[in-house]
Amino acid sequence: MKKKYSHKKQKSSKKQYAPDPVKAKKHLGQHFLKDEEVAERIGDTLTLNGYENVLEIGPGTGVLTKYILQKGKNVIAADLDTESIEYLNQSFALDHPSISTKNFQVVEVDFLKMNLEKLFNGEPFAITGNFPYNISSQIVFKAIENKELVPEFTGMFQKEVAQRICEKEGSKTYGILSVLTQAYFDAEYLFTVPPSVFNPPPKVDSGVLRLIRKADFSLPVEEKLLFRVVKTAFQQRRKTLRNSLKSFDLSPQLKEDSIFGQRPEQLSVDQFLELTQKIQHDAVSD
């Protein structure tokens, strides 16, 4: 049975905080999760369906890592912090002797520069983690670029970013990230996490989400054109599409279509696909 998550802030019953074995570094955007119950809940966002491998981004002190390892999958943890890498390689297993690290590997690498096709020898994998806020959107876009390999994506973002990813049309926060993510994934906002469960505490709430790749994630349009249409439209989101998409040099006949009288935030993902189809056909016709 699928777990239900509350969007309300909840008090943890396991707030037994110990000093962090790794110092959080501001230039890396680190805020180490220190609440065991929240870590376990994030670990449980993984459905484990359709993959045997998991990539954790930004493991930090390993508080989430141990709950991922309990799932019995192959786990690679990627981090840029040499102190974190050293801890996870040398002391993590000693601190958690009941957890098997047989199928666990720690790599010092920038996720945004990783070749994901070689990560698990071309096998599919889930992505999860307590993501650095300063590169969270870039992490999502890289997952989208590698969607053939990523059937599932879960984890923690700044709350407003997590909400934006999962938002539907008609909202002021609905935008580029919403449309392009939901073109390929079913997005679900799961629960909110308060600043108090981090060290150091961030100035904002965090939000945990889950993205599950659609059974059919192929698109009826050229992907590059869809990205261009969506990004161009939202760059002038207060204007109608007829005005914001002038750079596409559309035919007078197409510009009379009623869809061009709407603003981008009014269009659903399916309608953006329809819009892109119309533009693509218009260009072919010319």
Side-chain angles (χ1 to χ4, degrees):
M1 180 179 293
K2 188 175 180 181
K3 290 188 177 182
K4 293 184 178 179
Y5 294 90
S6 170
H7 291 201
K8 297 180 179 179
K9 299 177 183 178
Q10 297 184 0
K11 293 183 178 180
S12 171
S13 60
K14 299 182 180 180
K15 290 185 177 179
Q16 299 177 355
Y17 303 151
D20 289 327
V22 179
K23 182 180 179 181
K25 298 164 186 65
K26 187 175 182 179
H27 73 280
L28 293 177
Q30 292 176 326
H31 297 276
F32 292 146
L33 181 63
K34 58 182 182 177
D35 188 297
E36 294 290 340
E37 183 173 315
V38 172
E40 185 173 13
R41 291 180 71 194
I42 296 174
D44 285 344
T45 62
L46 294 168
T47 68
L48 310 181
N49 294 327
Y51 56 87
E52 294 298 322
N53 310 297
V54 178
L55 170 64
E56 182 188 4
I57 300 173
T61 61
V63 65
L64 172 60
T65 309
K66 58 180 177 288
Y67 293 107
I68 300 172
L69 289 172
Q70 290 175 0
K71 308 297 180 182
K73 301 295 183 181
N74 304 311
V75 179
I76 291 179
D79 208 310
L80 272 175
D81 185 358
T82 54
E83 187 182 6
S84 176
I85 297 295
E86 182 178 343
Y87 168 73
L88 292 171
N89 276 325
Q90 298 182 10
S91 304
F92 177 75
L94 298 175
D95 290 345
H96 307 283
S98 63
I99 299 174
S100 173
T101 56
K102 179 181 178 182
N103 298 317
F104 179 46
Q105 181 183 356
V106 185
V107 293
E108 185 175 350
V109 66
D110 182 348
F111 169 74
L112 299 179
K113 297 179 180 179
M114 291 180 75
N115 183 338
L116 299 186
E117 292 182 359
K118 296 181 179 180
L119 191 60
F120 290 99
N121 297 317
E123 295 180 0
F125 59 92
I127 294 176
T128 193
N130 172 23
F131 306 116
Y133 290 161
N134 55 350
I135 60 167
S136 57
S137 295
Q138 294 168 271
I139 290 173
V140 175
F141 281 123
K142 187 174 179 71
I144 292 173
E145 291 172 8
N146 293 271
K147 54 194 170 295
E148 294 84 0
L149 292 168
V150 184
E152 186 169 279
F153 183 116
T154 77
M156 183 154 49
F157 295 80
Q158 183 175 331
K159 181 182 178 181
E160 64 177 31
V161 175
Q163 290 177 323
R164 185 181 305 128
I165 292 170
C166 301
E167 193 61 86
K168 298 300 182 184
E169 69 276 9
S171 167
K172 291 182 179 180
T173 58
Y174 177 72
I176 296 171
L177 202 54
S178 319
V179 175
L180 297 182
T181 302
Q182 293 175 43
Y184 306 100
F185 294 86
D186 292 320
E188 181 183 9
Y189 186 94
L190 299 178
F191 57 93
T192 299
V193 180
S196 58
V197 301
F198 296 93
N199 183 33
K203 296 179 180 179
V204 294
D205 284 344
S206 300
V208 177
L209 57 69
R210 175 166 53 220
L211 308 177
I212 297 180
R213 192 179 62 197
K214 295 180 178 180
D216 180 8
F217 57 94
S218 60
L219 300 182
V221 297
E222 294 177 2
E223 183 175 80
K224 288 184 179 180
L225 181 59
L226 172 66
F227 277 55
R228 183 184 165 205
V229 168
V230 173
K231 290 180 179 180
T232 304
F234 278 105
Q235 282 172 357
Q236 301 181 73
R237 62 183 300 141
R238 293 185 179 182
K239 293 185 178 181
T240 64
L241 296 169
R242 188 172 291 114
N243 292 315
S244 63
L245 299 181
K246 283 183 177 180
S247 61
F248 285 83
D249 194 24
L250 305 174
S251 66
Q253 294 85 356
L254 182 58
K255 284 191 287 188
E256 291 305 312
D257 191 299
S258 60
I259 198 170
F260 287 91
Q262 299 189 71
R263 295 188 303 277
E265 66 187 42
Q266 296 176 289
L267 268 61
S268 67
V269 174
D270 286 341
Q271 287 175 311
F272 264 107
L273 293 174
E274 178 188 347
L275 171 66
T276 305
Q277 280 183 310
K278 291 177 184 290
I279 294 174
Q280 185 173 320
H281 183 266
D282 189 56
V284 171
S285 299
D286 290 346

